[in-house]
Structure formats: C-alpha cells, structure tokens
Amino acid sequence: MAITTTRWHELADRIQGGGAIDATEALAVLDSSDAELMEVVAAASRLRFEHFGNKVKVNYLVNLKSGLCPEDCFYCSQRLGSTAGILRYTWLNTEEAVTAAKAGIAAGASRVCLVASGTGPSNREVGKVSDIIEAIKSDTPGVEVCACLGALKDGQAEKLCSSGADAYNHNLNTAESHYEEICSTHTYADREHTVSQAHGAGLSACSGFIAGMGETREQLVELAFDLRAKGVDSIPVNFLLPFDGTPLEGVDTLNPRDCLRILAMVRFVAPDTEIRMAAGRERHLGYLQGMGLYVANSLFLGDYLTSEGQPGGEDLQMIADAGLEILRMEDADGADGADGAGEIAEAAALVTAPAAPVAQEKKVAIRTRGAGTGEPANA
C-alpha cells in the first residue's frame, strides 16, 4: 500500500526517533503524487534541518585535466570517442590550479574539488595533485580539499591524505544492476573498491550518482541503500546532462518534481549524510532549485567540469532567498566566519558577470571559461 499524505511526517518521526526507512517506503517516495509533493519535501526537510540547520555547504570544482579519457562511460562528455565540443587540455600547473580554486573560495566555497579525467592517476600525477593540495592549503588553511582522480592504486589514497586532502570523490553513478548499461570499460565493483580505499586511508568518502540514465525507480532505491551501507559521508546527486556527441545524447526523462522526489528519497534513506545538488540541477530542477535546498544541504557553485552552471551570484542569491546561510570555513584563528545575507551579497559582488543561466536551454552549454582557459571563472 502506498504511503498516504498524512504518513510522510510519521515516516520522518520514525527516522528522527532512530528508525529507518525500508525499500518499499523509499520507492513510495518516488511514486508519490504531485498532490503529495509538498508534504514529502516538508517531511524530508525536517531531517535536513535536524542534522544541518539552515546551513548550505558550498563546493567549487576545478577541472585539472579535461577530456582525453580512455573510459567509455556513456553519459560523459569526456569519454573515449566523444564528439562533444568541450574544452580539452592536459594538466593545469600548480599556479593555475590555485588561481582557479581561489575564485571559488572568494565566492564562499568551503570545499574545493580537484578533478581530473582518466581511468586513474599515475604516482607522478598523484604527486602533482599533492603539490596543488599543499599550495591551496597553504594559501587558505581552513578550506577543505576533495580529490577526484579516478581509480586509485595502492598507496595513492594515503599519499593524498598525507598531503592534506580531506576527501576523495568516486561516484558509483548508477545501481549495480544497471551498470553494464552505462559503461563497458570498468565495473561497479571497480568503483566500490576505490570508495573503500578512500575510507581505508582516512579520507572522507564522497560518492553519489547520476539520475536520468534509463534506470528504474527500483534501481534508484537500490543505489541509495548501497551508498548508505557503504557509509559514505557525502552524496552528490547529479541529473543527466545529455551532451551532444555521447551515447545518451537527447535522453531527457526527468522533470523538476521527480528531481525533488529523488532528493527527498535519498534524504529519508541517509538522513544525516551531506546531500549535494550537483550537475544538471539548473536544467532539471529549474525554478525549484531553491526548494531543493530544503532537502539537500550542499551544492556546487558556478560551473561544472565541462558544462556551464548558472551564474555564481545567482547561486548565492538563491541561498539567501531561501532564508539559508552559507556554511563558512573556520578562519586561521579557529574562529567561525560570519554568515548571513550581507556576506552573501559581498561574495556575490566578487563574481564575474557570466552568461545567461542554462535552465531553459535545450542544449548543454559547454564550459569555455575558468580552468584551462584565459577567461575568468564563473565562481
């Protein structure tokens, strides 16, 4: 039997009391009617506010190496054989990477995510990223740094941790039962292994997924429970960007209400885990992005790896309009930085005026600014 509208808050009560949602109930969240949607969001938001208050953690991506990947992930604009017109460049040097990171930090990001395409890094490349991490930490001691470099070899997670990395991201991307439908050059088990390596080395494990790749609702539930079982600390929820020139070009099955249901389902499954609205939120959530922040407690600011996000200033204003505050990193003295609309406005003033938002565009806007270019970052 489907859960009725009046029972969504009973579900939240049970979870707040130490209980857990089961798979049938999680599927019912995804199957809920539009008439129930506000109650679903309201119930899920109780869990979000219980564990994270009114804070939003702002993350900023730096694409250290774009394109040129030998993997064939069907959704990815950087995949082997992709004809998407994205930026393609080899490794940024340390100065370029630090400059890109500082753009996001200046706009309010408390975590910088260093990403490089490819199957996984060589030991030399891990050393290069370690140098970048140390330089960022030296410049801004309080900032968190998350690395995302693909599959890791033995000892590489430990090397990143010793250089000051706080977290490692390696998304599972889709359910194990669906994985062969989105990639043939590596397996779900390969991805699980890297998540385990990160945890084992003392790094915070960040792992999430991409919704809208032909998976069933049951597979979304399967994946959410698997992420919970792995004890990941943060879950980026991406919504498919159907890049031209990839096998999933033209696939566009999500609507804003479904995206809210997906966020809510993950919140019910993992009530105290950081949930991040990630790539595709502008396109698929559209004008409901602000509502998504009542369920998710984290987002990426500005542009993504190969696509443009909405202007960074609009992200900051959206947070303020929702009555929420940016989670600030501790300053060098160990004192908390100030929050609030005034500081948000100040950060927004630092953002270079970008192109129009992509929420209403039919095509994915390819990133042509920031890391790897001579153009200012959208931060």
Side-chain angles (χ1 to χ4, degrees):
M1 178 183 294
I3 297 176
T4 62
T5 300
T6 57
R7 288 189 59 197
W8 296 117
H9 287 281
E10 293 177 14
L11 177 60
D13 288 340
R14 190 174 82 232
I15 294 171
Q16 285 182 318
I21 191 173
D22 63 32
T24 299
E25 292 168 326
L27 184 60
V29 174
L30 299 180
D31 287 338
S32 60
S33 68
D34 288 348
E36 297 174 272
L37 182 58
M38 292 301 98
E39 292 295 333
V40 171
V41 170
S45 74
R46 290 173 50 196
L47 304 174
R48 179 254 196 266
F49 280 90
E50 176 184 10
H51 293 286
F52 300 99
N54 70 335
K55 305 297 184 184
V56 176
K57 187 171 187 177
V58 174
N59 305 258
Y60 187 69
L61 285 165
V62 178
N63 195 353
L64 298 176
K65 178 168 74 80
S66 184
L68 314 173
C69 184
E71 301 295 313
D72 76 346
C73 306
F74 300 170
Y75 53 84
C76 186
S77 61
Q78 304 183 77
R79 72 186 296 273
L80 178 69
S82 169
T83 60
I86 62 168
L87 288 167
R88 291 177 171 84
Y89 52 85
T90 55
W91 288 87
L92 302 183
N93 62 38
T94 298
E95 182 180 357
E96 291 169 329
V98 171
T99 297
K102 288 173 70 174
I105 295 168
S110 59
R111 174 178 282 193
V112 172
C113 304
L114 303 176
V115 187
S117 62
T119 300
S122 66
N123 288 336
R124 179 176 175 275
E125 289 167 339
V126 168
K128 184 191 297 284
V129 176
S130 294
D131 290 343
I132 292 170
I133 293 169
E134 290 171 359
I136 292 172
K137 290 279 192 170
S138 176
D139 186 81
T140 313
V143 73
E144 293 181 1
V145 178
C146 178
C148 177
L149 312 174
L152 295 174
K153 303 176 183 67
D154 290 346
Q156 291 183 333
E158 288 79 5
K159 169 65 174 175
L160 292 167
C161 189
S162 67
S163 71
D166 300 281
Y168 195 82
N169 168 262
H170 200 61
N171 291 332
L172 296 182
N173 284 327
T174 196
E176 183 173 14
S177 62
H178 187 60
Y179 204 82
E180 291 183 356
E181 303 300 319
I182 68 157
C183 183
S184 69
T185 50
H186 61 265
T187 66
Y188 188 85
D190 292 332
R191 288 191 168 268
E192 289 181 303
H193 180 63
T194 295
V195 174
S196 177
Q197 284 179 302
H199 249 168
L203 294 167
S204 173
C206 173
S207 188
F209 62 93
I210 306 169
M213 296 194 293
E215 73 283 345
T216 65
R217 293 187 300 280
E218 289 82 1
Q219 286 168 328
L220 283 171
V221 170
E222 173 193 337
L223 178 57
F225 276 84
D226 199 8
L227 289 166
R228 185 178 74 180
K230 287 176 170 50
V232 301
D233 302 303
S234 59
I235 301 175
V237 178
N238 300 272
F239 305 101
L240 177 67
L241 288 170
F243 285 92
D244 288 351
T246 67
L248 294 184
E249 174 183 339
V251 174
D252 206 352
T253 61
L254 299 171
N255 66 52
R257 302 174 307 286
D258 287 336
C259 293
L260 284 178
R261 291 183 184 96
I262 291 167
L263 289 172
M265 183 271 290
V266 177
R267 175 59 69 200
F268 282 123
V269 171
D272 59 353
T273 300
E274 178 183 339
I275 297 174
R276 185 173 311 125
M277 293 200 308
R281 63 178 168 88
E282 298 91 342
R283 179 187 185 95
H284 293 291
L285 274 164
Y287 294 115
L288 298 186
Q289 287 182 77
M291 190 175 297
L293 288 175
Y294 289 105
V295 179
N297 64 292
S298 178
L299 54 66
F300 282 115
L301 177 77
D303 292 336
Y304 302 99
L305 296 177
T306 62
S307 65
E308 292 182 354
Q310 73 183 18
E314 291 188 13
D315 287 337
L316 299 170
Q317 190 60 56
M318 177 176 68
I319 294 170
D321 287 349
L324 303 172
E325 297 179 348
I326 292 176
L327 177 67
R328 296 288 176 180
M329 72 182 82
E330 291 187 348
D331 62 25
D333 299 324
D336 290 330
D339 294 298
E343 197 165 17
I344 291 174
E346 180 181 352
L350 296 172
V351 180
T352 302
V358 301
Q360 299 181 35
E361 296 180 4
K362 295 299 183 184
K363 298 293 184 182
V364 177
I366 301 297
R367 180 174 69 82
T368 58
R369 58 196 173 197
T373 78
E375 297 299 316
N378 175 27

